[in-house]
Amino acid sequence: MSTAVTTKHPVDQRLPFGRLAVLGLQHVLVMYAGCVAVPLIVGGALKLDGSTIAVLVNADLFVAGIVTVIQSLGIGKILGVRLPVVAGATFAALNPMILIGAKYGMPAVYGAILASGVFGLLIAKPFAKIIHLFPPLVTGTVITIIGLSLIDAGAGLIAGNDDSAPGYGQLSHLALSGAIILLIVLINRFTSGFLASLSVLIGLVFGLIVASIMGLSDFSGVGDANWFGLAKPFYFGPPEFKAAAIVSMCIVMLVIYVESTADMIAVGEAVGKRPTENDVARGLAADGLSGILAGVFNSFLDTAFAQNVGLVQVTRVRSRYVVTAAGIILVLLGLIPKLGEIIAAIPGPVIGAAALVMFATVTAVGIRSLRRVEFDGTQNLLIIAVSLGAGMVPVVAPNFYAKLPDELQIIFGSSITTTVIVVFLLNLLFNGAPGRTPSPETADPTGVAEIPEAIPPARSA
């Protein structure tokens, strides 16, 4: 008499505690630099003090950890794709956040993020049905402009934002940044696998050591920080809801959804368990939830981190509980204020060097995505040209829209929101609405929206 044995899919298998902890830590190390770069860049651009930036760093890790746990474990039929998906702060929101913060202040930033989170929850299911409206022509152009528009922020961290200041473009700062970039390049050239995936993190550690020797780091705030603590909800005060800021951030949410959909399907393919339409919708809803959590805990919109997708493919470890362990580690890191103070003390030239590599890589990934676009006999080249041209205007001419009403300045002053609007409309104008693509169960996972490695290994949206 034979007995039927039911085995769990490798995605659903629980590994021993020791392996879970080590493999989870590996996921954290791969995404860590990319994740903490967002609060550092936003804080630097908006001239926040070190203690405030430390609060943002801890909140960033805390919320990313919660969303990562939800994505891997799931909550009923509502949230979580139940795949090894790691969530982290997206670069796609950087430019709009800086614009909103400069114009209206931080309460308006978090009011817009909170509203975009509600918007994301409402549209998660419908969006999973209309992903075909975002072909590689649209996604590739948007990814390209995300990288291009942020290079200015990286350069500002290195040289300074005021070219009339005496210390602007100081040779020692440029040399330090150049040495960090060179180290990242050499690590990627002469190593491979896990060590290469940590190239940016190694570059940051090296830069921080050299910067300390040069007297550029100030760790005085570390001693006063608590070992354990949770970021105060609504740290900047009650959220303010500005219409233009909300519209801009909701557009960013759409960009995040396109990116996360591609990454979730890529993970599903890597582990042999392609997500259904409902799975994708639950995963997107978790991204939407990140907006609500971020609005309350002073964090950032999260997306599926593409470098962790690559890590799953390299290690072939398919258990989603490994990512659960990574999420728990992120939550614990977010509850250590001293860690936030240490990260906030990283000098601009150090984080700027790593940021330049990340942002330029995002641009290159966008260009790679555009290889799948058909140019012969179409007007797709014109669509890309006009979209990138419109998107770069506020980068090269920051005061170009200065005479527009404040609401329109927030929308069109953002390279990312401008490009999304223009490329989406031009694609519909010239190419029409494409037929609905096959469901994820039967579709080629690279046919929805190719966004591989949207941030280089560590590293939005």
Side-chain angles (χ1 to χ4, degrees):
M1 179 178 179
S2 61
T3 303
V5 178
T6 303
T7 59
K8 290 184 177 180
H9 190 282
V11 168
D12 300 316
Q13 291 179 349
R14 299 176 186 266
L15 304 180
F17 177 80
R19 290 189 64 194
L20 281 178
V22 172
L23 294 172
L25 179 61
Q26 179 176 240
H27 269 287
V28 171
L29 292 175
V30 167
M31 59 83 72
Y32 189 82
C35 191
V36 300
V38 174
L40 291 175
I41 293 169
V42 170
L46 295 178
K47 297 179 173 57
L48 303 178
D49 60 66
S51 296
T52 302
I53 294 175
V55 169
L56 297 182
V57 169
N58 287 115
D60 175 35
L61 296 173
F62 178 72
V63 171
I66 290 176
V67 177
T68 297
V69 170
I70 290 174
Q71 288 286 31
S72 57
L73 293 183
I75 297 179
K77 297 181 179 180
I78 305 173
L79 297 170
V81 67
R82 291 181 176 84
L83 287 173
V85 170
V86 176
T90 177
F91 285 131
L94 266 179
N95 187 258
M97 285 185 70
I98 293 170
L99 281 171
I100 296 167
K103 179 70 68 174
Y104 298 124
M106 295 304 290
V109 170
Y110 286 108
I113 289 178
L114 191 59
S116 71
V118 175
F119 170 75
L121 285 175
L122 293 175
I123 70 163
K125 181 65 174 181
F127 190 90
K129 296 179 178 294
I130 63 164
I131 190 64
H132 60 285
L133 295 179
F134 296 85
L137 172 64
V138 174
T139 58
T141 302
V142 171
I143 296 166
T144 300
I145 202 66
I146 288 175
L148 288 175
S149 67
L150 293 173
I151 288 177
D152 178 63
L157 287 169
I158 296 172
N161 294 306
D162 182 4
D163 56 9
S164 63
Y168 180 82
Q170 193 168 326
L171 183 59
S172 58
H173 292 185
L174 302 183
L176 174 59
S177 297
I180 294 170
I181 293 173
L182 178 60
L183 177 60
I184 293 172
V185 171
L186 292 177
I187 292 174
N188 280 278
R189 171 61 182 86
F190 294 107
T191 67
S192 59
F194 182 55
L195 185 60
S197 74
L198 297 179
S199 59
V200 175
L201 186 61
I202 294 172
L204 284 172
V205 173
F206 164 79
L208 185 57
I209 294 172
V210 175
S212 298
I213 296 173
M214 295 170 63
L216 297 179
S217 302
D218 180 11
F219 294 99
S220 59
V222 177
D224 297 330
N226 296 323
W227 277 105
F228 298 101
L230 178 64
K232 176 185 176 183
F234 302 115
Y235 180 84
F236 297 96
E240 297 178 4
F241 300 96
K242 304 291 185 180
I246 292 172
V247 170
S248 181
M249 207 58 71
C250 286
I251 292 175
V252 169
M253 183 61 75
L254 295 176
V255 176
I256 291 172
Y257 274 12
V258 174
E259 182 178 353
S260 286
T261 298
D263 287 337
M264 285 187 285
I265 293 176
V267 167
E269 178 71 10
V271 300
K273 189 176 182 181
R274 293 179 179 176
T276 65
E277 187 177 279
N278 288 333
D279 293 333
V280 171
R282 291 197 308 271
L284 296 180
D287 285 344
L289 177 65
S290 76
I292 295 176
L293 293 175
V296 174
F297 289 105
N298 327 291
S299 183
F300 305 87
L301 293 175
D302 286 335
T303 186
F305 257 31
Q307 65 267 43
N308 293 91
V309 176
L311 183 60
V312 171
Q313 295 170 333
V314 170
T315 63
R316 301 181 185 276
V317 176
R318 293 185 279 179
S319 172
R320 58 191 170 104
Y321 297 104
V322 167
V323 167
T324 303
I328 293 172
I329 293 172
L330 286 170
V331 170
L332 294 176
L333 290 175
L335 295 174
I336 304 175
K338 279 189 182 294
L339 178 65
E341 289 284 356
I342 293 173
I343 296 172
I346 299 177
V350 176
I351 192 63
L356 273 183
V357 176
M358 293 182 200
F359 299 155
T361 302
V362 172
T363 300
V365 168
I367 294 171
R368 185 172 71 177
S369 296
L370 291 173
R371 291 184 309 171
R372 301 181 56 246
V373 176
E374 178 61 49
F375 291 103
D376 294 336
T378 70
Q379 295 296 330
N380 289 337
L381 190 64
L382 176 65
I383 294 173
I384 296 170
V386 172
S387 302
L388 291 179
M392 286 301 295
V393 165
V395 175
V396 300
N399 297 320
F400 190 85
Y401 297 113
K403 294 188 177 180
L404 289 178
D406 288 350
E407 292 76 10
L408 293 180
Q409 285 187 46
I410 291 295
I411 295 174
F412 293 105
S414 167
S415 298
I416 297 169
T417 54
T418 299
T419 303
V420 170
I421 292 170
V422 173
V423 71
F424 181 78
L425 294 178
L426 288 181
N427 179 59
L428 289 181
L429 175 65
F430 283 97
N431 299 324
R436 194 178 191 281
T437 56
S439 64
E441 294 93 328
T442 57
D444 177 353
T446 62
V448 177
E450 182 184 12
I451 312 181
E453 300 178 334
I455 300 179
R459 300 163 183 170
S460 297

